[in-house]
Amino acid sequence: MVKPGEDLRRNLHDQFERGDVYAPECPSRPLLDHLTSRWGVLVLVLLLDRPHRFGELASLIGGVSDKMLSQTLKTLVGDGFVTREVGTDGPVRVTYALTDVGQGAAERLADLVEWLESNMNALVPA
Amino acid sequence: MVKPGEDLRRNLHDQFERGDVYAPECPSRPLLDHLTSRWGVLVLVLLLDRPHRFGELASLIGGVSDKMLSQTLKTLVGDGFVTREVGTDGPVRVTYALTDVGQGAAERLADLVEWLESNMNALVPA
DNA sequence: CACAATACTTACCAAAAGGTAGGTACTAAC
DNA sequence: GTTAGTACCTACCTTTTGGTAAGTATTGTG
């Protein structure tokens, strides 16, 4: 029984005790999209090493624009993969770090990235 | 020394003995994009179980259109992650399977997906 | 020969992602 | 007060992604 005014998110959460990425309406779908987004992967893997400031990420990730980086970070923070901390004293300094869940995801993404970097040559020359 | 007519792909391959996804021109970048594409992930994880036919993939992956599925498969075949085999006898039957490299990638993606399906509830309710 | 099934492809359109350039807000240093 | 640095945001535009619907090619069945 679902009352019309009730929170849809809550219903989905109840409906999928364990996620199923093959179900189009499962909340894990957007999460997977964010984790595997073009810039999201690269950000998360960098944060696995240590927390980074915005400008550090921007210069380490070749080809990313300010706009995309800030958008990507906002999404990851919103999902709960990353924390955003603003330095109180001095000029503007924002540091991004992994949450506990973010750490779990980032480890698996780093595994994929490292595998790809090692095995790239088995793919490209073909 | 690079002659104008020479194969750019070859140069890039020489240049990056080991891939570096943080370098914008590294060939690993597009490969990572294909591996982590919306439908690519789901296809590869399914193929980890066993080879599948086009129609099977279409019905197992909720929400994918024929067009996107065939485009995704074409890309994965082109990269060398997946093989495409057409049955010689009888009506049209096409079977997709992982290559050896595809297997390596798919295992890592499956790891990520399974982690996400288990940890989804630590993220969504927040 | 008509019809169904499978695996596509094509044309058309809408939405999302992404780039560039410029602007903003805050602070510190000169 | 002016300038520089950091971390953004906004408007504008192009490219890519993705959906729908229709059509194609091949083969087997009746």
Side-chain angles (χ1 to χ4, degrees):
Chain A
M1 200 75 78
V2 173
K3 279 187 288 180
E6 247 172 330
D7 184 3
L8 179 60
R9 193 99 57 102
R10 184 76 215 163
N11 294 331
L12 288 171
H13 177 235
D14 292 347
Q15 194 175 341
F16 297 95
E17 236 180 76
R18 186 177 198 275
D20 177 7
V21 293
Y22 292 95
E25 299 307 320
C26 179
S28 64
R29 271 279 179 88
L31 292 173
L32 182 62
D33 287 345
H34 301 162
L35 281 180
T36 60
S37 68
R38 162 119 84 194
W39 307 117
V41 177
L42 302 180
V43 166
L44 288 166
V45 172
L46 282 179
L47 293 183
L48 197 57
D49 182 35
R50 60 172 179 82
H52 282 85
R53 293 187 28 212
F54 184 88
E56 292 174 333
L57 294 171
S59 62
L60 288 170
I61 301 174
V64 75
S65 65
D66 281 8
K67 182 191 149 192
M68 272 299 106
L69 181 56
S70 111
Q71 194 177 111
T72 301
L73 286 166
K74 198 181 291 186
T75 302
L76 293 175
V77 169
D79 288 339
F81 292 117
V82 169
T83 59
R84 186 189 121 108
E85 198 176 340
V86 185
T88 53
D89 57 331
V92 188
R93 276 163 188 282
V94 182
T95 304
Y96 294 92
L98 292 176
T99 60
D100 286 347
V101 254
Q103 171 96 12
E107 283 167 0
R108 277 145 188 98
L109 289 171
D111 215 46
L112 177 71
V113 166
E114 277 169 36
W115 175 89
L116 177 63
E117 289 180 337
S118 307
N119 291 79
M120 181 188 77
N121 289 326
L123 291 156
V124 179
Chain B
M1 199 77 79
V2 174
K3 280 187 286 180
E6 245 172 331
D7 184 4
L8 179 60
R9 193 97 60 101
R10 184 75 215 164
N11 294 333
L12 289 170
H13 177 236
D14 291 346
Q15 193 174 340
F16 298 96
E17 235 179 78
R18 187 178 198 274
D20 177 6
V21 293
Y22 291 96
E25 299 307 320
C26 178
S28 63
R29 270 280 180 88
L31 291 173
L32 182 62
D33 287 346
H34 300 162
L35 281 180
T36 60
S37 68
R38 163 118 89 197
W39 308 117
V41 177
L42 302 180
V43 166
L44 289 166
V45 172
L46 281 179
L47 293 183
L48 197 57
D49 181 37
R50 60 171 178 81
H52 281 87
R53 293 187 29 212
F54 183 90
E56 292 175 333
L57 294 171
S59 62
L60 287 171
I61 301 174
V64 75
S65 65
D66 280 9
K67 182 190 149 193
M68 272 300 106
L69 182 55
S70 114
Q71 195 176 109
T72 300
L73 286 166
K74 200 180 289 184
T75 302
L76 294 175
V77 169
D79 288 338
F81 293 118
V82 169
T83 59
R84 187 190 119 108
E85 199 176 338
V86 184
T88 54
D89 58 331
V92 188
R93 276 163 186 282
V94 182
T95 303
Y96 294 92
L98 292 176
T99 60
D100 285 347
V101 254
Q103 172 96 13
E107 282 166 1
R108 277 144 187 99
L109 289 172
D111 215 45
L112 177 71
V113 166
E114 276 168 37
W115 176 89
L116 177 64
E117 290 179 337
S118 307
N119 291 79
M120 182 188 75
N121 289 326
L123 291 156
V124 178

